DNA sequence: TTCTTAATGATACTTTTTTTCATCAAAAGA
DNA sequence: TCTTTTGATGAAAAAAAGTATCATTAAGAA
């Protein structure tokens, strides 16, 4: 509820309109527990708004990304999906098995590392991309019980 | 030179043949200072071996990746490229301006962070993806002199 | 050298993403 | 209230990216 008001206010403030397709995309992302591809968002969105178009999904994601409402999640294979992102939390931890993703903070730990890298390389580090992969508690249990 | 022997030995050991197209892809990556897309590798490779095929580039990259000879570099926009990778160094630092990329180690710093995240979330963290973005020394100078 | 078979590259095909454009609808102004 | 303006949409088409098939080639062992 609060989240809803937040993103709508953000859009308004940016001079954008609150439209039905945008609400649909946001709702789909809110209900998802893992990163979704544009195609997946379209499929789920059509259930809420049958004549949703794929192009609109792409444009909406682009808009949301520019407002830091969603973040792009990368996987080793190169494929990626969009995940709703809480402000300030740009780090994602994803389950290799079920895809469920959560965010976590971690600015401080990286600050040291970044300092050191800057001194070693001479680069001026600005942004970063950190993602962890592993098994969520549920999938650990499941794999634990299947391999006794 | 040493690198060349290394990867050839690795391929042989894996039961793969050392072919001209593979040498070409490797040479292109060696000469590149930034991550290259399959298309870019094809273009550059054709200069050395005119009838190189795109499919072969994809397959060669897949092979090299499975042997950890190259790594996939992700960018915010989702686009990515392949970079020659020194063994053990899986972290990339890329220049936002010229695309030049270098690798750096950083296992220890992350170990703490990962420990903490594991305790907070209950996830069992296995792999990770860390990339830093910024300006390389050359581009810092260039941007510094243009904005006095 | 010869032989076996992994590897190649041309072609066709599927999937994903971008562009274009006519239409629609929500704000803004008279 | 009624236009006018402009942002937003969705269909269609085009472009780009990636994958599968298969006859041919050539690497490397015998």
């Amino acid at each position: 509820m609060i989240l809803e008001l937040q993103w709508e206010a953000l859009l308004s403030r940016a001079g954008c309109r609150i439209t039905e397709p945008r609400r649909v995309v946001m709702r789909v992302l809110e209900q998802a527990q893992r990163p979704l591809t544009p195609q997946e968002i379209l499929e789920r969105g059509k259930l809420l708004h049958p004549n949703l178009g794929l192009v609109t999904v792409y444009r909406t994601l682009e808009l949301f990304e520019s407002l830091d409402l969603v973040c792009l999640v990368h996987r080793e294979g190169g494929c990626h999906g969009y995940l709703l992102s809480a402000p300030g939390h740009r780090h994602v931890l994803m389950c290799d098995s079920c895809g469920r993703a959560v965010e976590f903070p971690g600015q401080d730990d990286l600050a040291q590392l970044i300092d050191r890298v800057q001194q070693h390389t001479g680069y001026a580090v600005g942004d970063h991309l950190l993602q962890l992969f592993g098994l969520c508690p549920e999938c650990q249990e499941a794999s634990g019980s299947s391999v006794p």
Side-chain angles (χ1 to χ4, degrees), chain A:
Chain A
M1 218 50 164
I2 289 173
L3 222 159
E4 188 169 342
L5 294 178
Q6 275 185 341
W7 75 264
E8 294 195 353
L10 245 161
L11 248 66
S12 293
R13 216 170 304 146
C16 300
R17 296 177 183 169
I18 316 299
T19 66
E20 189 57 18
R22 286 173 181 173
R23 280 204 201 89
V24 167
V25 170
M26 180 53 77
R27 195 159 311 150
V28 166
L29 287 172
E30 281 171 349
Q31 289 168 358
Q33 296 185 312
R34 60 179 186 80
L36 299 180
T37 65
Q39 283 292 348
E40 290 173 322
I41 294 171
L42 177 69
E43 282 163 28
R44 299 182 183 203
K46 271 182 178 294
L47 301 178
L48 305 171
H49 184 71
N51 60 340
L52 177 66
L54 179 59
V55 183
T56 300
V57 174
Y58 274 99
R59 281 186 294 223
T60 302
L61 289 172
E62 193 177 10
L63 172 64
F64 284 179
E65 201 185 3
S66 74
L67 296 172
D68 279 328
L69 288 168
V70 302
C71 65
L72 203 51
V73 176
H74 302 259
R75 305 192 72 164
E76 307 90 86
C79 89
H80 54 272
Y82 288 85
L83 189 75
L84 210 60
S85 120
H89 288 218
R90 279 181 304 161
H91 304 137
V92 172
L93 168 54
M94 183 161 61
C95 179
D96 282 329
S97 175
C98 69
R100 192 178 303 238
V102 300
E103 291 185 300
F104 66 90
Q107 307 288 356
D108 300 340
D109 308 68
L110 283 179
Q112 291 176 28
L113 184 151
I114 289 174
D115 270 355
R116 200 162 43 72
V117 171
Q118 285 187 129
Q119 290 184 359
H120 269 246
T121 62
Y123 275 59
V125 175
D127 212 354
H128 64 265
L129 170 64
L130 174 61
Q131 292 177 194
L132 304 183
F133 304 92
L135 285 180
C136 72
E138 287 79 5
C139 289
Q140 284 177 59
E141 245 181 77
S143 73
S145 58
S146 69
V147 185

